[in-house]
Amino acid sequence: MSAAGVRKDWIVNGRFDVERLAGLPLFRFDLTPVLERSNRSLLRNPERLQLMCEQHVVRLVPGDMVLFEGTGFFLAVQSCGGAAAIALANQVNVALLRIFFGTDSLIAAELAPLFRAASPIEILQAGAPDSPADASAAPQPEKTASRPVETDPLARLANSGVPGYDGLRLGFVPIYDLRRAAPSTFLCAPARLAKDGGPAQLATLGGIDPKDRPSLDEAMLEHSLVLARQTKKANVTAAIGAPVSFETLASPRGRRLYQLALRGADIAADPFVVIKIEDVPAGTPASRLAEILSVVRPLARHVFLQLADTDVRLMESGNLGATGLYAKLPVETTAFGAARTASFVVRNAGLQRACSYVEGVANAALLRLVRDAAVRFASGAVFGSEVLTGNAPLHCIEALAQGRRASSSRAA
């Protein structure tokens, strides 16, 4: 059993002090009912479930003690008592339903409260908190087929009280294959819907706390897998990309959460799912890039890695194993800067036997420079700034597939 908010003086000889526990309001939360309704893969993946709860529930009760065990947890309320403690437990209950369903409509409908009163003896029987060594030595979860929690994961984050997500939706940005002059990959990205009912536009993430980024990255992975499954059912071919922040993979908790999500998705052999590592800090040495890439490389067949500046020397770390290398053009880039960046990406991609990709191509002049440098893939405002949301990505992919079939028929 692992814990959050446990004071050292509450543990006596490796066991909880029963007298201290007896003086607190104690509640047992069982998540099995919502997991059976929303995401069965988490039933077989308790470590990922615990990390999800740590991202959300611990935020709601920072002054109280949360003890995770299996598919649930104990809540020992230290901040208040009586009716206030019951109200706090109910607040956590509502937040959990919103995390898994994105709405509280099921609270009064079919699902009973997820919590009940607990006794100190139950916590004692569950055992003392695991040490950090015990947690790191936990067995790896078995691979299971991933199933989306919902079609709009950002609504789940907004409704669960995570700041910065209000009004955001997930969509997809087309990435164009410059050799074929057509989009070949659809990259998941946060978007903000226009107030006048116009098309959705890419959203900046300045209002999101960096420690909440792992939740966003996992949500984008879930959303990408939904589209990937839809394209397979429709018998159309397109690659689907899921971005993940460098900082998520660099932090111990974010790394574990994302690795568990990738294991649950089971995409190690899937040729149509791409993981894109972004927001790499400038000046990151090649050895660090190789280390971060190794976090996801065994769990995904295709990984694109960002080159944040043109000074990094990749060959000092040998072959990184990335499927693609990419760079993002600054908003105020010059023609010289764009040409230099594109040439740098192409040169290193050739040395690494990887694909080259340039992001942020704003106009036709920059597109010509990128093409002249022999970059393979590109995206940016020159192709249109609209983000495809709802069913638009699948419809776009289907239209592309029909166009390819029509071209093949004419050629025959």
Side-chain angles (χ1 to χ4, degrees):
M1 182 170 66
S2 61
V6 180
R7 293 172 45 182
K8 292 182 179 180
D9 59 348
W10 285 58
I11 308 297
V12 179
N13 296 325
R15 306 287 292 177
F16 282 111
D17 187 337
V18 67
E19 292 184 1
R20 291 183 182 270
L21 288 176
L24 295 178
L26 304 176
F27 303 95
R28 167 66 180 171
F29 282 78
D30 183 9
L31 305 185
T32 304
V34 292
L35 293 175
E36 290 177 341
R37 294 284 301 274
S38 62
N39 195 331
R40 290 180 181 274
S41 66
L42 289 176
L43 280 169
R44 308 180 187 90
N45 203 335
E47 186 178 1
R48 182 183 169 203
L49 172 65
Q50 176 185 323
L51 288 167
M52 288 180 66
C53 287
E54 287 178 353
Q55 289 289 325
H56 301 290
V57 176
V58 176
R59 178 193 301 278
L60 296 174
V61 288
D64 300 303
M65 189 164 59
V66 182
L67 312 169
F68 297 94
E69 183 203 20
T71 58
F73 59 90
F74 293 95
L75 173 63
V77 181
Q78 306 169 76
S79 59
C80 57
I86 297 175
L88 181 64
N90 189 62
Q91 181 183 357
V92 173
N93 182 80
V94 172
L96 288 171
L97 291 174
R98 286 174 173 170
I99 288 170
F100 287 100
F101 294 104
T103 178
D104 57 358
S105 62
L106 292 177
I107 296 176
E110 300 178 22
L111 285 177
L114 304 176
F115 70 95
R116 58 172 175 78
S119 64
I121 196 64
E122 289 184 75
I123 298 179
L124 292 175
Q125 290 175 343
D130 299 329
S131 66
D134 293 334
S136 61
Q140 297 294 343
E142 61 178 294
K143 292 183 177 180
T144 58
S146 178
R147 182 172 179 265
V149 174
E150 58 189 23
T151 57
D152 186 6
L154 290 194
R156 181 182 76 233
L157 295 173
N159 290 335
S160 62
V162 179
Y165 289 94
D166 292 341
L168 290 183
R169 293 292 181 270
L170 287 180
F172 291 88
V173 175
I175 296 177
Y176 281 73
D177 185 335
L178 299 183
R179 293 181 186 175
R180 300 178 180 178
S184 63
T185 304
F186 293 82
L187 178 67
C188 189
R192 194 171 297 279
L193 300 179
K195 294 181 180 179
D196 58 1
Q201 305 292 326
L202 276 176
T204 59
L205 301 177
I208 293 178
D209 192 321
K211 66 184 179 183
D212 293 323
R213 182 58 195 263
S215 298
L216 174 61
D217 290 331
E218 187 182 26
M220 289 192 288
L221 177 61
E222 289 179 3
H223 203 60
S224 301
L225 295 175
V226 170
L227 181 60
R229 283 190 289 271
Q230 289 175 336
T231 57
K232 290 178 181 178
K233 289 181 180 179
N235 293 321
V236 294
T237 301
I240 309 300
V244 58
S245 169
F246 179 94
E247 291 302 324
T248 291
L249 302 179
S251 66
R253 178 173 294 177
R255 178 167 58 248
R256 287 173 57 206
L257 183 65
Y258 202 75
Q259 286 180 319
L260 288 167
L262 286 176
R263 289 190 180 96
D266 194 16
I267 59 170
D270 194 326
F272 300 113
V273 177
V274 180
I275 303 300
K276 173 176 172 277
I277 302 176
E278 60 184 23
D279 299 330
V280 176
T284 303
S287 58
R288 182 59 168 159
L289 293 177
E291 179 183 345
I292 293 299
L293 185 64
S294 68
V295 172
V296 297
R297 189 64 186 88
L299 304 173
R301 181 167 177 177
H302 296 306
V303 182
F304 273 57
L305 175 68
Q306 181 186 13
L307 301 179
D309 54 64
T310 56
D311 295 327
V312 63
R313 299 180 180 180
L314 296 185
M315 293 311 295
E316 293 180 356
S317 295
N319 191 294
L320 301 178
T323 307
L325 298 176
Y326 82 96
K328 184 175 182 179
L329 298 180
V331 175
E332 301 297 332
T333 188
T334 63
F336 173 78
R340 183 169 181 262
T341 298
S343 298
F344 173 76
V345 171
V346 170
R347 181 171 66 255
N348 281 278
L351 292 173
Q352 291 284 325
R353 297 181 181 180
C355 297
S356 56
Y357 164 44
V358 171
E359 188 175 86
V361 181
N363 53 57
L366 294 180
L367 181 59
R368 283 194 296 271
L369 290 172
V370 168
R371 278 199 174 112
D372 291 343
V375 171
R376 177 66 186 275
F377 300 99
S379 65
V382 67
F383 301 109
S385 57
E386 179 180 353
V387 182
L388 302 173
T389 57
N391 291 326
L394 184 58
H395 294 161
C396 182
I397 294 171
E398 290 175 336
L400 287 172
Q402 292 174 359
R404 292 178 190 141
R405 288 192 289 267
S407 298
S408 300
S409 300
R410 287 195 296 269

